[in-house]
Amino acid sequence: MELNIAIVDDMKTDAVKLENFIRSYFFDNAHILGRIDIYSSGEEMLKNFKPDLIHLVFMDIVMNEINGIETAKQLRQADTKILIVFTTTSSEYAFDAFPIHPFDYILKPYDGENVYSVLSEAVRVLQIEELIIKVKVSRSEYEIPARKISSVVSQGHNTEINLVNGECLLSNTKFGELENLLLGHRDFLVCNRGIIVNMSQILTQEQGIFVMKNGARYPIRVNGQSKVTAAFFQYLISNMRAGK
């Protein structure tokens, strides 16, 4: 998979050094690097951030105005999947950063071996989670990363595929085929007959309904509701333990 990375650091020399280590790692290991975005402040990062576009962010903790921990809190609210690696000159901030569920920490000054180790683990985790779904829309075939699917809804002989970016595809791929593929992925759950939701895209649960981040509302089946809600609760707990 192609990885997009962000560096947030108000020290330009540190940001450039880290960027060079990242580029060297991807070159040496033949992984595909999408892009590296460098921001000099948390404010700049938040202003330009769009969910699901950045996979991994290296976040300096000590910055002026909005510090790295506050910036990371806002990123985590917008994107539960993004991997956050805190960078700092001291480990004293580790306790403050713990509620953000960071993926890792790197102490400055940067050491190539430590950066490579974090990148290697991040690539492994992200590759495991990547699942590509092939669907037919009219006479064309699309390849869609599962993480970009918000929900799948049966519509008679067709299937409605709602994407995270708001796009909706009406596919002639059978619902059952997509169900078999998606339910092998930890993020997806059948909440009712003919409805599959991406649990990472659920905003909240209220009175037997999943409210999605895009505003869609899907009923949880009455028969077996406790099982569905338990699965969602367990998913949230697992994410907390995994630092997501």
Side-chain angles (χ1 to χ4, degrees):
M1 65 179 292
E2 182 177 278
L3 265 67
N4 295 324
I5 297 174
I7 298 172
V8 186
D9 199 321
D10 56 1
M11 295 293 293
K12 185 175 181 180
T13 53
D14 286 349
V16 170
K17 186 174 183 179
L18 179 55
E19 179 187 15
N20 290 336
F21 278 135
I22 293 171
R23 293 192 183 280
S24 295
Y25 169 82
F26 277 84
F27 179 81
D28 293 342
N29 292 276
H31 294 307
I32 301 175
L33 177 62
R35 70 172 194 259
I36 301 179
D37 296 332
I38 299 179
Y39 302 102
S40 60
S41 68
E43 294 91 336
E44 185 183 8
M45 171 70 177
L46 293 172
K47 181 180 178 181
N48 292 277
F49 181 72
K50 294 182 179 179
D52 301 306
L53 294 182
I54 298 295
H55 303 99
L56 173 66
V57 57
F58 290 88
M59 180 73 66
D60 186 25
I61 290 181
V62 181
M63 294 186 292
N64 294 325
E65 297 185 30
I66 300 180
N67 63 29
I69 294 176
E70 180 57 36
T71 303
K73 284 181 181 178
Q74 295 188 43
L75 290 181
R76 178 66 75 218
Q77 290 173 357
D79 188 338
T80 59
K81 285 183 168 295
I82 190 170
L83 302 184
I84 299 174
V85 176
F86 283 117
T87 65
T88 178
T89 56
S90 173
S91 59
E92 66 178 290
Y93 302 102
F95 182 78
D96 294 333
F98 179 77
I100 312 299
H101 307 297
F103 181 72
D104 213 328
Y105 299 85
I106 296 181
L107 289 178
K108 296 181 179 181
Y110 294 121
D111 174 83
E113 183 176 347
N114 291 336
V115 174
Y116 279 27
S117 176
V118 170
L119 286 170
S120 179
E121 181 63 13
V123 168
R124 185 188 71 80
V125 169
L126 290 167
Q127 285 180 333
I128 288 175
E129 294 190 348
E130 186 74 341
L131 171 65
I132 303 297
I133 302 296
K134 293 183 179 180
V135 299
K136 294 179 180 178
V137 178
S138 188
R139 296 182 180 179
S140 301
E141 186 171 85
Y142 286 73
E143 292 189 351
I144 307 172
R147 60 186 171 82
K148 293 188 177 182
I149 297 175
S150 176
S151 61
V152 175
V153 181
S154 177
Q155 296 285 1
H157 296 295
N158 296 315
T159 305
E160 180 183 281
I161 302 172
N162 299 290
L163 303 184
V164 171
N165 65 5
E167 186 178 357
C168 178
L169 301 175
L170 190 61
S171 171
N172 46 10
T173 300
K174 293 181 179 180
F175 178 86
E177 293 179 32
L178 295 178
E179 182 179 15
N180 290 335
L181 291 171
L182 290 173
L183 294 191
H185 192 290
R186 63 181 298 275
D187 286 359
F188 290 89
L189 173 70
V190 175
C191 70
N192 210 323
R193 183 176 181 180
I195 303 175
I196 301 173
V197 293
N198 182 340
M199 289 186 281
S200 74
Q201 295 301 309
I202 295 175
L203 179 64
T204 187
Q205 177 187 340
E206 56 182 44
Q207 298 180 342
I209 293 174
F210 282 137
V211 181
M212 310 300 287
K213 293 179 180 179
N214 62 8
R217 301 169 66 89
Y218 297 116
I220 302 172
R221 65 174 181 258
V222 176
N223 184 17
Q225 182 175 129
S226 59
K227 185 176 180 180
V228 172
T229 55
F232 178 52
F233 180 74
Q234 184 58 50
Y235 172 81
L236 295 178
I237 295 299
S238 298
N239 276 358
M240 290 178 63
R241 291 173 177 169
K244 294 181 182 179

